[in-house]
Amino acid sequence: MSQPTVFVSAPVPDDLLEELAREFDVVAVPPGTTQDLGRYGSPVGWLMGGGTPIDAGVLAQLPDLKVVSNSGVGYDSLVMDDIRAAGVIAANTPGVLDNAVAEIALGLVLSLGRGIVGFDRFTRDGRWADGAAPLTRDVHGKTVGVLGMGRIGKRVAQLLQPLGVSVIYHNRARRPEIDESGLAQWREREAFFAESDFVVVLVPLSPQTRGYVGAADLARMQPTAYLINLARGAVVDTPALVEAIRSGQIAGAGLDVFDVEPLPLDDELQTLPNVILLPHIGSATAETRRAMSELAVRNLRNGSLGQPVETPIP
Ligand code: 8YV
């Protein structure tokens, strides 16, 4: 008897693929493919990573689709209104990557604050021979601002505790349980940017949050402060960020996400020395990617069989 088809467009460990193949005809579809999907078959489920835009045009080609399983927490490439209108379930992978992403946030706070990446270059370039490295500033005693206090933000605040920093956060709505726990204190937007020595951007990208961090916010930051973006490049107005760094309005940035990925070599950000550039590695550890794949495969399987998925996108 023929098995229902599922599409897979993200790296999934072989053993999980073999498990899936017991119940489904698993078809590898290149990431980002949105045209002539019928040539790959008619799937009941589709497992993908970020970057495959799923909208009405794509869904119209897939009449049997029951579930879209995104192996990632951010689902900005899914047009949720179109997915709902098509009666398709969408799922993502929240929770399992909080630690991994928070570790990079912590790493960037320390690396920017204490010049860890810059001083590696300083040493290799032979500049040490010309004199001792310039002094940095303590991280302890400073204020870290979490923009978008959700699961990952909470983990960032927890990991920062032993460093002796104060953590503040800004969400549109204050989360009283966070304030009461002592983990972080809410600030209104202006005070948030003005007080933070490090701003960690964790706001999910949506049509409402495109360019959310703009010139006015950057202008409120201190000239010694750093911006860290672990959400999506488009949440920050990148030309305004480049200008703020170039003009010395802020001290620099740590970026794991960009408007265009992979970041082109001729991008202006590549020319700024006080910026740490990472190739979107927030969740990129073997353990975390395994956990994301396991959850995404369970969501794919359950949704394809018409069963409830574990982590539906609301
Ligand atoms: C992944 C991410 O790299 O979860 C997210 O939203 O940005 C990352 O964990 C991405 O989803 C690719 O699968």
Side-chain angles (χ1 to χ4, degrees), residues 10 48-50 70-76 93 97 101 230-232 257 280 282-284 289 292:
M48 61 195 55
N70 187 63
S71 188
V73 69
Y75 53 87
D76 42 284
T93 60
L97 41 66
V101 178
L230 296 169
R232 288 290 181 268
V257 287
H280 201 144
S283 69
R289 284 290 165 83
M292 289 165 69

Side-chain angles (χ1 to χ4, degrees), residues 201-212:
V201 180
L202 292 169
V203 176
L205 177 62
S206 70
Q208 293 73 39
T209 62
R210 195 164 280 280
Y212 180 73

Side-chain angles (χ1 to χ4, degrees), residues 63 68-69 73 80 118 128 145 162 168 192 226 230 235 261 264 297 302 312:
V68 165
S69 174
V73 69
M80 286 307 297
W128 192 2
I168 58 176
F192 172 85
Y226 293 93
L230 296 169
V235 170
E261 296 182 8
V297 165
N302 294 344

